[in-house]
């Protein structure tokens, strides 16, 4: 029996998903008698298949692995992007993959959510305002032909404002909800990459360790080991494959594959694929502009304490977000880049796990509905060429 995973625009909430919720168009590929299905669309609610059968989601751990892996993928993705970047057209040289100093503001449209605790639905609520502010510093510590060592410090402030919560009749307990909540997250990391060769192909071996904390609690220390083989690299095309191992006792599966493909077409068009993080088509516009259309996958982490301020249970709350839409970047000169993003955010997963436990043992989920978003950012990259 084929098993279908829709990872771009459908939120998976359990082990079974009615076929009527599966979008009718997408990319399919077969691995070991398992049919995997990917779908990217500007409107996730059109072209629905109408059938009454149910598709069994046995490979659910693949989804959970993607959720956990996204905590590591962006940092390592920047390293892989740097060594696999194609020259292509002159416009591409104006936008380095790694940004040394960056600030970003992100705003989400109001949306509804329907939480459950231990599988028991509690009702529906509304998020009337949701925004994030992020600041990051990433600097090279040591660079040579064989070694690349970077360190980074990141800060995130995230705020929510809530409307009325409507409980389901007969629920075992009511939800106490603050009118607004805000969270601080600090993260520090060290990335070490060694370059070599294997079977005549260039290799990049990367080790990443990072720790995080809130303004009140220490979070966790986690790590990641990766190996990437560059199978092809020309002026216009690069193709690399690899494997990533997560050093995290909460990860249900310790390994996952990495696929990177970049191709620069004529007239400033480019294809940028880094699975499982992003799939983008880019085009140079104006003299110093760069526009992208596609989907990016991000994992957002918060530490949420439920109960008394100092003694309540501390949860590791993660939202797996699929952001589909448009990105415009503009090189302002003097190593400064301004960025605008806008589109739809779909939540593949939003769940809370007691800190340090496996993601399979989640205690609550929030099920936010898809919503619109936009972000504004500016970056300065004096160390990247």
């Amino acid at each position: 029996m084929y098993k279908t995973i829709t990872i771009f625009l459908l939120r998976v909430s359990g082990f079974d998903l009615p076929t009527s919720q599966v979008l009718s168009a997408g990319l399919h590929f077969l691995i070991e008698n398992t049919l995997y299905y990917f779908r990217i669309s500007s409107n996730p609610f059109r072209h629905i298949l109408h059938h009454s059968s149910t598709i069994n989601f046995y490979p659910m751990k693949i989804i959970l692995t993607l959720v956990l892996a996204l905590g590591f993928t962006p940092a390592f993705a920047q390293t892989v992007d740097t060594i696999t970047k194609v020259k292509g057209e002159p416009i591409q040289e104006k936008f380095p993959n790694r940004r040394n100093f960056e600030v970003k503001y992100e705003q989400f449209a109001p949306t509804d959510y329907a939480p459950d605790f231990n599988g028991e639905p509690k009702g529906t609520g509304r998020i009337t305002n949701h925004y994030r502010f992020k600041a990051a510093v990433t600097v090279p510590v040591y660079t040579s032909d064989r070694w690349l060592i970077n360190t980074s410090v990141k800060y995130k402030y995230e705020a929510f404002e809530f409307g009325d919560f409507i409980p389901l009749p007969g629920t075992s307990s009511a939800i106490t909800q603050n009118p607004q909540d805000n969270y601080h997250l600090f993260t520090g990391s060290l990335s070490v990459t060694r370059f070599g060769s294997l079977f005549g192909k260039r290799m990049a071996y990367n080790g990443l360790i990072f720790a995080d904390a809130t303004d009140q609690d220490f979070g966790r220390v986690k790590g990641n080991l990766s190996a990437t083989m560059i199978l092809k690299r020309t002026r216009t095309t690069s193709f690399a494959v690899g494997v990533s191992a997560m050093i995290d006792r909460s990860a249900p599966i310790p390994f996952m594959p990495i696929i990177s493909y970049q191709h620069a077409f004529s007239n400033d068009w480019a294809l940028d694929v880094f699975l499982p993080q992003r799939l983008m088509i880019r085009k140079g516009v104006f003299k110093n502009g760069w526009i992208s259309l596609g989907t990016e996958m991000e994992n957002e982490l918060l530490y949420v304490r439920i109960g008394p301020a100092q003694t309540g249970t501390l949860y590791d709350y993660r939202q797996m977000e699929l952001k589909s839409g448009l990105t415009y970047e503009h090189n302002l000169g003097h190593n400064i880049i301004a960025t605008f993003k806008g589109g739809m955010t779909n939540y593949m997963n939003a769940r809370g796990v007691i800190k340090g436990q496996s993601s399979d043992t989640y205690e609550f989920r929030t099920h936010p509905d898809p919503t619109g978003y936009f972000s504004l950012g500016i970056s300065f990259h004096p160390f990247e060429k």
Side-chain angles (χ1 to χ4, degrees):
M1 177 180 175
Y2 288 159
K3 307 174 183 73
T4 298
I5 293 181
T6 308
I7 72 168
F8 278 101
L9 287 175
L10 292 182
R11 182 181 69 246
V12 179
S13 59
F15 288 91
D16 297 300
L17 182 68
T19 310
S20 61
Q21 296 180 25
V22 178
L23 301 182
S24 61
L27 170 66
H28 307 70
F29 61 91
L30 188 66
I31 299 178
E32 297 181 352
N33 294 324
T34 298
L35 180 68
Y36 295 92
Y37 174 99
F38 298 81
R39 169 69 169 145
I40 301 177
S41 172
S42 59
N43 188 337
F45 303 108
R46 293 183 180 176
H47 312 299
I48 303 298
L49 289 175
H50 297 286
H51 299 286
S52 59
S53 61
T54 296
I55 296 176
N56 182 25
F57 265 75
Y58 173 74
M60 186 62 181
K61 284 190 176 182
I62 295 177
I63 294 292
L64 298 178
T65 302
L66 292 176
V67 174
L68 292 169
L70 286 170
F72 308 107
T73 301
F76 181 62
Q78 290 184 350
T79 300
V80 176
D81 287 342
T82 300
I83 62 177
T84 61
K85 184 177 181 179
V86 297
K87 298 295 183 180
E89 300 294 323
I91 185 67
Q92 299 180 38
E93 297 302 304
K94 298 181 179 181
F95 298 93
N97 296 104
R98 185 167 44 235
R99 310 294 166 85
N100 301 127
F101 303 91
E102 184 174 22
V103 294
K104 181 170 72 171
Y105 173 82
E106 196 167 23
Q107 178 70 56
F108 296 86
T111 189
D112 296 325
Y113 68 102
D116 67 64
F117 285 78
N118 296 315
E120 180 184 358
K122 295 297 183 180
T124 58
R126 186 160 182 80
I127 302 173
T128 59
N129 189 21
H130 176 202
Y131 61 92
R132 298 185 184 120
F133 171 79
K134 296 180 178 181
V137 177
T138 302
V139 295
V141 176
Y142 177 75
T143 303
S144 70
D145 292 339
R146 286 189 169 270
W147 294 93
L148 175 61
I149 302 176
N150 294 319
T151 185
S152 69
V153 177
K154 299 179 180 180
Y155 167 73
K156 179 175 72 170
Y157 174 80
E158 188 158 5
F160 299 84
E161 295 179 10
F162 299 97
D164 294 334
F165 186 84
I166 304 174
L168 285 177
T171 52
S172 59
S173 61
I175 289 182
T176 301
Q177 177 179 273
N178 297 324
Q180 59 185 27
D181 280 315
N182 56 78
Y183 303 91
H184 303 267
L185 183 67
F186 303 87
T187 305
S189 67
L190 177 67
S191 173
V192 179
T193 303
R194 186 184 185 277
F195 303 106
S197 62
L198 183 66
F199 306 123
K201 302 294 184 180
R202 193 182 187 198
M203 294 289 299
Y205 306 95
N206 177 267
L208 172 69
I209 185 170
F210 65 94
D212 54 32
T214 71
D215 56 330
Q216 298 179 348
D217 301 284
F218 180 76
R220 301 182 59 203
V221 177
K222 292 165 279 191
N224 178 249
L225 297 174
S226 301
T228 303
M229 175 180 287
I230 303 174
L231 300 178
K232 179 180 181 179
R233 186 182 184 189
T234 66
R235 180 175 178 82
T236 60
T237 304
S238 72
F239 178 51
V241 296
V243 63
S244 174
M246 288 160 283
I247 306 173
D248 183 355
R249 64 181 181 180
S250 68
I253 297 179
F255 300 98
M256 67 174 301
I258 294 171
I259 300 175
S260 172
Y261 179 77
Q262 298 181 37
H263 183 75
F265 302 94
S266 58
N267 300 322
D268 287 342
W269 283 95
L271 175 66
D272 180 12
V273 178
F274 190 96
L275 299 179
Q277 188 193 24
R278 67 178 181 270
L279 175 59
M280 307 291 287
I281 298 175
R282 306 186 191 276
K283 176 72 167 70
V285 294
F286 312 119
K287 183 179 179 180
N288 294 305
W290 193 233
I291 193 168
S292 307
L293 184 65
T295 295
E296 294 180 290
M297 192 156 48
E298 297 181 0
N299 188 43
E300 292 293 339
L301 168 67
L302 293 174
Y303 288 106
V304 180
R305 188 174 294 281
I306 297 179
Q310 300 300 325
T311 60
T313 303
L314 186 63
Y315 287 88
D316 177 328
Y317 175 75
R318 303 191 189 194
Q319 287 191 161
M320 182 180 179
E321 301 175 355
L322 298 172
K323 295 178 177 177
S324 301
L326 178 145
T327 300
Y328 177 72
E329 299 172 276
H330 194 88
N331 191 313
L332 302 175
H334 304 288
N335 298 321
I336 299 174
I337 295 175
T339 303
F340 168 82
K341 294 184 178 184
M344 288 291 297
T345 298
N346 291 265
Y347 299 93
M348 279 287 293
N349 231 313
R351 58 177 56 176
V353 180
I354 295 177
K355 190 186 80 168
Q357 294 190 3
S358 170
S359 61
D360 289 327
T361 62
Y362 63 88
E363 293 196 4
F364 69 89
R365 296 175 294 183
T366 56
H367 302 296
D369 288 340
T371 187
Y373 86 99
F374 76 87
S375 68
L376 298 171
I378 191 164
S379 60
F380 177 52
H381 51 94
F383 308 124
E384 310 299 325
K385 302 300 181 184

